[in-house]
Amino acid sequence: DDGSCIYSPPGMVNLFFSEFAEGSSSNKYFEIYNPSLDTVFLSDYAYPSVANAPNTPGVYEYWNDFAVGAFIAPGDVYVVAHGSADPAILAEADETHNYLSNGDDGYGLVYGSNPGSPMDPIAGGYVILDFIGDWNGDPGAGWSVAGISDATKDHTLVRKCNITSGNIDWLASAGVDSLSSEWMVYPQNYWNDLGSFTSCAVVGCTDANATNYDPSANVDDGSCIYSPPGMVNLFFS
């Protein structure tokens, strides 16, 4: 052990972005999913952001707290929308935020308190849970997702149903094609999935070479067990 182990703070739940839309006019929103069996109060969470190119690459510019009293019920979602969005969006919104991305502003979902001024997670004492885009620099019109250029602009992104937690590596989350991406990319003003997230994740051992292989699992949980080399599975007859 090299002493580099990182542990989730007590009480932290792995919330994640389940949907994001950059639509026409002010039709913008993002959705957060609670995969746990507990109600999560959002006073200990925030969604810091950058505007185009940050002052310090890798560090947020604006710390955005959730509304006072905000919470997400088990298996439910929380929607943050532009205050002038379409009535169909506002009907699902839990709070409004009028500075949502035009496709080139990165948002993070974090656990922790406002450090008072922009700083990295170690210095600021917060934990990054997930990203839409990143805080590393101006991507141009937007970020590519699933092999689609500028997919964070004029599109709606919906997280694939087998995703069970956020991803702090935006490039890995975005992927390079439809298979490697954690997202499905839909046309502008697609809101059919807004307001709910249905998980299809079945966790277990997904390696057919393991002794505890679970053919129904589609998310590997690291539980695979393997027979030692040369061992034969004898049994009492």
Side-chain angles (χ1 to χ4, degrees):
D1 190 283
D2 63 358
S4 63
C5 294
I6 299 174
Y7 301 93
S8 298
M12 188 186 87
V13 174
N14 288 315
L15 307 176
F16 60 90
F17 290 115
S18 50
E19 190 166 335
F20 165 84
E22 202 285 310
S24 60
S25 186
S26 298
N27 297 320
K28 311 173 192 296
Y29 64 82
F30 64 78
E31 178 187 271
I32 297 168
Y33 177 64
N34 174 12
S36 78
L37 300 177
D38 299 310
T39 296
V40 176
F41 289 90
L42 297 176
S43 55
D44 293 326
Y45 298 80
Y47 50 101
S49 61
V50 298
N52 302 317
N55 295 323
T56 304
V59 176
Y60 67 90
E61 291 180 291
Y62 307 99
W63 185 276
N64 308 302
D65 286 312
F66 288 96
V68 175
F71 67 91
I72 315 180
D76 202 356
V77 297
Y78 190 92
V79 177
V80 177
H82 191 286
S84 299
D86 187 276
I89 295 174
L90 293 178
E92 297 291 347
D94 296 287
E95 71 172 83
T96 59
H97 178 72
N98 288 352
Y99 302 97
L100 292 173
S101 176
N102 290 322
D104 56 358
D105 305 321
Y107 275 79
L109 177 62
V110 307
Y111 178 84
S113 301
N114 188 346
S117 60
M119 57 186 69
D120 62 72
I122 295 177
Y126 61 90
V127 178
I128 301 174
L129 300 176
D130 203 8
F131 273 120
I132 297 173
D134 58 41
W135 300 336
N136 296 327
D138 189 348
W143 285 273
S144 296
V145 180
I148 299 174
S149 297
D150 302 333
T152 55
K153 180 176 177 60
D154 299 334
H155 292 88
T156 295
L157 308 181
V158 177
R159 212 68 176 259
K160 290 180 178 178
C161 67
N162 65 329
I163 301 304
T164 59
S165 64
N167 192 340
I168 64 173
D169 184 342
W170 168 248
L171 292 179
S173 174
V176 296
D177 53 32
S178 61
L179 294 178
S180 61
S181 179
E182 295 183 0
W183 301 87
M184 295 179 291
V185 182
Y186 290 95
Q188 187 181 49
N189 296 337
Y190 173 92
W191 313 320
N192 295 17
D193 299 302
L194 177 61
S196 65
F197 179 78
T198 302
S199 176
C200 64
V202 179
V203 297
C205 174
T206 61
D207 188 344
N209 295 314
T211 59
N212 63 330
Y213 167 62
D214 182 353
S216 67
N218 55 29
V219 177
D220 194 280
D221 64 356
S223 65
C224 293
I225 301 172
Y226 301 91
S227 300
M231 188 187 85
V232 176
N233 289 318
L234 304 176
F235 60 89
F236 290 115
S237 58

